[in-house]
Amino acid sequence: QGHLVESGGGLVQAGGSLRLSCAAFGSILSHNFIGWYRQAPGKQRELVARITSDTPDSEPRLIYADSVKGRFTISRDNAKKTMYLQMNSLKPEDTAIYYCNTVPPLPPVQWGQGTQVTVSS
């Protein structure tokens, strides 16, 4: 199945922007069940943005958690085997380690190391 490498995190002030990248080695990003997760200190990992579809052949849909809707945008470049998360209007509560992986109904593949995003107030 391959593995995933996240990058692009960093320290940014509230209101700033970052773009995260997820490089896939293998065929992980070729289907419509992939997304971005995050895990803040002391909290469970949560799914914040995903690409999904009703059937393997139907048009993909983009779904966001309420906490990031209107601020984050998920996209992918199949030719580059890379998925992105554009994050705008960042808030301190967005501070977390961000991971990419498959999303339900697919089981997760091996988790990467993630990329740290820290938003200062």
Side-chain angles (χ1 to χ4, degrees):
Q1 285 184 313
H3 64 279
L4 302 158
V5 179
E6 302 92 348
S7 63
L11 173 63
V12 64
Q13 288 188 331
S17 298
L18 284 173
R19 188 175 82 153
L20 307 184
S21 297
C22 170
F25 299 88
S27 61
I28 298 172
L29 297 186
S30 63
H31 52 69
N32 286 337
F33 299 101
I34 51 173
W36 285 95
Y37 299 77
R38 70 183 180 188
Q39 187 166 20
K43 295 188 177 181
Q44 289 190 336
R45 188 173 290 159
E46 65 169 331
L47 179 59
V48 297
R50 58 187 165 122
I51 298 172
T52 188
S53 62
D54 295 326
T55 68
D57 296 327
S58 60
E59 198 67 23
R61 295 183 289 124
L62 310 181
I63 299 177
Y64 300 92
D66 288 343
S67 57
V68 306
K69 198 173 296 183
R71 300 186 298 121
F72 289 12
T73 302
I74 187 172
S75 63
R76 68 179 168 186
D77 185 329
N78 287 335
K80 295 182 179 180
K81 293 188 176 181
T82 303
M83 182 172 65
Y84 303 98
L85 186 67
Q86 178 67 44
M87 307 187 296
N88 299 327
S89 303
L90 282 162
K91 304 176 180 180
E93 50 264 43
D94 294 318
T95 295
I97 299 175
Y98 284 72
Y99 304 87
C100 55
N101 211 314
T102 54
V103 301
L106 297 181
V109 300
Q110 183 174 351
W111 292 93
Q113 293 194 341
T115 186
Q116 174 72 49
V117 172
T118 303
V119 184
S120 63
S121 58

